[in-house]
Amino acid sequence: MGVGMARRIRDWVRGMARRVRSDNGMTTSEYAVGTIAACAFAAVLYKVVTSQPVMSALQSLLKDALDAKF
């Protein structure tokens, strides 16, 4: 194999790797999956924040902050 042929193969491989790594934006299906994941995370977070132990802790924290003596 000559030097010219090796260079062409190397350039072709680099070009293919560049195209594979290229991220020109998400497709519609990726947006859909991302949106569903974000909604699921928001639902879990809402359930955690509105749970009784967390609500009690937040109320206690606010009460202590408002009753603080300066």
Side-chain angles (χ1 to χ4, degrees):
M1 181 179 346
V3 175
M5 181 62 119
R7 181 176 294 151
R8 278 194 276 174
I9 292 172
R10 184 188 65 218
D11 291 344
W12 180 82
V13 169
R14 285 182 180 170
M16 290 299 290
R18 202 175 306 121
R19 275 178 278 206
V20 168
R21 282 185 267 140
S22 174
D23 185 16
N24 294 331
M26 293 194 303
T27 63
T28 304
S29 61
E30 289 171 327
Y31 276 117
V33 170
T35 302
I36 290 170
C39 291
F41 180 71
V44 169
L45 188 60
Y46 176 77
K47 286 299 232 179
V48 168
V49 171
T50 57
S51 68
Q52 189 58 40
V54 174
M55 290 294 282
S56 297
L58 288 174
Q59 287 174 349
S60 174
L61 182 68
L62 285 173
K63 183 178 179 290
D64 291 345
L66 292 174
D67 290 343
K69 295 181 181 170
F70 293 101

